Amino acid sequence: MAVTTLALILGDSHVCWLERLVSSSGIRFGTGSSFVGTDCHFKFAGFRGGSVSSVRDDGAVDRLLDLQMPAIVVLCLGGNDVYGSPESVLTVGMRLYEIAQSLLARGVLHVVCQIVRRQCVRRYSWEDGTQRVVDINEFLKAVCDTERLSFWYHRGFWQSQRNIFRGDGVHFNDLGNYKLWRSVKGAVFVALKRLGLGR
């Protein structure tokens, strides 16, 4: 019999758009996704305009965990801070790492941290904004490398010959969200394997 595992996809408005795609399109891996040997169910928690600090400080995450404790949390958070805040990437990265540590302390078995790149940048030049994403991802990759905490870099986005963004250059269109969904599933699958729940 398959083991039932809950994976929480937690983040900013990217998660809201991702949930909308998954719930409206009826794509196969919607509310329940069966990996080999595991029945993995996904729950989405997206905060529009959410920053690392706001998600950390408003208590919403604790309330979510009190309702139902996931085995895996995929963090899709930090883009609003990297692109819209004057704070250093080290400051943002440390706050994101602290969220991951707090989730682990609450009993979450596996956390995956990631920052999604954007096409449109407002506060910084495109080059500077992209470099900030590169820098914070390198930081997260270095600190999120334990048995219970790992970094996941999105695959299959940046070589696409088709546009994957909406008109605002920030959020993904349906194609981009489909690619994001495939990547998130890949992250969860790897997490399941590291937990000994998938193969």
Side-chain angles (χ1 to χ4, degrees):
M1 180 179 293
V3 177
T4 300
T5 304
L6 177 66
L8 173 65
I9 316 304
L10 172 65
D12 53 28
S13 53
H14 282 287
V15 176
C16 300
W17 284 105
L18 183 62
E19 180 181 19
R20 180 178 177 180
L21 173 76
V22 172
S23 62
S24 65
S25 64
I27 56 180
R28 182 182 175 194
F29 297 105
T31 55
S33 173
S34 294
F35 294 107
V36 178
T38 303
D39 185 21
C40 187
H41 293 263
F42 291 85
K43 184 175 182 178
F44 299 86
F47 300 87
R48 295 190 183 277
S51 66
V52 175
S53 295
S54 66
V55 171
R56 179 191 63 182
D57 297 338
D58 72 359
V61 175
D62 287 332
R63 292 192 293 272
L64 281 169
L65 299 185
D66 288 340
L67 289 173
Q68 192 173 19
M69 182 65 68
I72 300 165
V73 172
V74 179
L75 285 174
C76 301
L77 189 63
N80 290 331
D81 303 82
V82 171
Y83 283 107
S85 168
E87 294 180 318
S88 70
V89 293
L90 179 60
T91 298
V92 176
M94 282 303 301
R95 287 178 180 168
L96 191 54
Y97 179 69
E98 288 167 4
I99 289 180
Q101 290 297 317
S102 68
L103 289 168
L104 292 173
R106 286 291 305 271
V108 176
L109 296 180
H110 203 96
V111 181
V112 181
C113 298
Q114 51 203 314
I115 299 289
V116 176
R117 283 162 44 182
R118 296 179 178 180
Q119 184 182 59
C120 179
V121 183
R122 294 183 176 87
R123 175 179 287 271
Y124 303 95
S125 68
W126 188 88
E127 292 79 7
D128 289 345
T130 299
Q131 187 59 52
R132 282 170 64 86
V133 172
V134 170
D135 291 343
I136 196 171
N137 281 334
E138 287 299 316
F139 170 80
L140 292 172
K141 183 178 180 180
V143 299
C144 300
D145 187 22
T146 69
E147 182 180 352
R148 301 175 66 217
L149 177 61
S150 68
F151 175 80
W152 179 261
Y153 189 79
H154 289 304
R155 296 159 172 80
F157 280 81
W158 318 120
Q159 290 75 38
S160 176
Q161 299 301 309
R162 297 170 60 188
N163 178 43
I164 60 173
F165 288 95
R166 296 184 180 276
D168 61 10
V170 173
H171 301 99
F172 292 125
N173 60 21
D174 285 349
L175 174 62
N177 276 313
Y178 179 73
K179 288 177 176 289
L180 179 61
W181 181 228
R182 292 188 64 181
S183 184
V184 166
K185 287 189 300 178
V188 171
F189 182 65
V190 170
L192 288 169
K193 290 177 67 175
R194 293 186 69 171
L195 293 172
L197 298 175
R199 55 184 189 276

